Amino acid sequence: MASQTSMTSLIRSEIVALKKYKLAARPEAIKLNQNEMPYDIPGDIKAKVLEKLVLIPWNRYPFSQPYSLLNKLSEFYHWPSEGIAVVNGSNVLIQAIVLATSLKSRVLALDPSFSLYELEAKALGNKVDLIPLGENFSFPLKAILEKIEKTPPSLIFLANPNAPTANLFPKEEILQVIQKAKCLVVVDEAYCHFADYDLLSELPSYKNLILLRTFSKGYGLGGVRLGLALGHEEIISEISKVLLPYCVSALNEVLVESVLDHPELLEKRVTTLKINRSWLYQAMCAVPHIKVYTSQTNFIIFQLQDAEKTFQDLLNEGVLIRNVSTPSLPHTLRVSVGTQEENEKFVKALEKVMKNHK
């Protein structure tokens, strides 16, 4: 039988060197670890979806592109359908954009930020330039512009609002980067529904700009898996060439279309979540021995002396959050904004845990 060492020799060295993206399941705890919308889709909407699903022939392939959904999204965003790519989750788009633009080249991203940018870039043989955020997670505009000038990247990823730091960068500074860059700039707006602004109105002015959106956060469709890219037609057309065909099922298309038919649902839920976020932030600020950061997303991060012990102690109290500590973000935990009842249980558990910490 071949040894483990000899078996890994069959895999590309870039892949062997990567850390696997994984998240342990803890179904017994209050789940506040994945930045999900805490409210499910109402039963009456689900019932209408089921009626439509019955009429779909499940034995037939869907269209190569979800044309009906693309037309609906075009109307929703006031953007040509030819400039929209829809896939089974925006993570797929991150991979596709790297594949279309950057093989054994250079990719620029921020640190800390969404880890998948670096993971996918390195998996395709790229060197990744990580630009550290400034004090209090400020946007490192000067450092980015200097890097673009000295070692031009083939692709830039910017999450805005940023994850996992939850802050929104100045719009004017992001636009400066887009103007300066001689490559595609991908602005990941996964959490834009919870923020003070987005860049959709700027899209017509910048042909090297791509916006990523997801239905997993604001719309509460994490279990459905659907994301999209908005960009100029000639760019989206090229990126679409590396997307696998039939990457959106007919079932997903019906589900998302049904939710888009109820825009009031998004508005109501986002408003409620922002109210809950404000309450949670104030309550956490009153807990001793932790530093809490403001948020433009549906989660809050906080720093303390022993993040791993606190994570485990909270889990013992029946509350699951996430340890997002890294060398660039030390001793940091992240909690998703839940229902008011879940938030209160989390704060109560946090107060209890911190009383036992020095």
Side-chain angles (χ1 to χ4, degrees), residues 223-333:
V224 174
R225 306 303 301 137
L226 196 132
L228 65 135
L230 297 156
H232 287 260
E233 178 182 351
E234 54 268 43
I235 295 296
I236 296 299
S237 176
E238 297 302 318
I239 291 171
S240 296
K241 292 178 181 178
V242 299
L243 292 173
L244 295 176
Y246 310 111
C247 59
V248 176
S249 75
L251 307 183
N252 285 12
E253 186 173 8
V254 168
L255 287 165
V256 174
E257 283 188 1
S258 298
V259 171
L260 285 172
D261 286 336
H262 295 273
E264 75 285 351
L265 186 64
L266 174 67
E267 182 179 354
K268 180 180 179 181
R269 288 175 163 200
V270 168
T271 298
T272 300
L273 192 135
K274 286 181 177 180
I275 293 171
N276 290 352
R277 180 180 68 188
S278 179
W279 181 93
L280 181 59
Y281 173 77
Q282 295 297 332
M284 291 175 66
C285 285
V287 178
H289 311 304
I290 67 173
K291 180 179 181 180
V292 188
Y293 291 89
T294 57
S295 172
Q296 287 270 308
T297 65
N298 65 339
F299 61 87
I300 294 174
I301 65 168
F302 59 105
Q303 293 178 315
L304 66 171
Q305 187 173 358
D306 193 336
E308 183 56 29
K309 184 178 187 306
T310 303
F311 169 82
Q312 292 295 336
D313 288 347
L314 285 169
L315 189 58
N316 292 337
E317 294 295 324
V319 179
L320 175 62
I321 62 172
R322 190 162 182 181
N323 188 346
V324 294
S325 301
T326 63
S328 59
L329 194 66
H331 315 300
T332 305
L333 297 175

Side-chain angles (χ1 to χ4, degrees), residues 124-136:
L124 291 168
N126 293 287
K127 178 176 176 55
V128 180
D129 294 316
L130 295 176
I131 309 298
L133 298 182
E135 187 177 358
N136 291 322

Side-chain angles (χ1 to χ4, degrees), residues 108 129 131 140-153 176-177 180:
L108 187 150
D129 294 316
I131 309 298
L141 177 62
K142 182 179 179 181
I144 294 174
L145 295 180
E146 288 178 352
K147 178 62 70 173
I148 289 174
E149 182 68 29
K150 292 180 180 178
T151 47
Q176 285 188 56
V177 173
K180 183 74 171 181

Side-chain angles (χ1 to χ4, degrees), residues 279 314 317 343-353:
W279 181 93
L314 285 169
E317 294 295 324
N343 295 337
E344 290 173 3
K345 288 182 179 179
F346 161 70
V347 171
K348 184 177 180 180
L350 182 63
E351 290 172 339
K352 179 180 178 180
V353 165

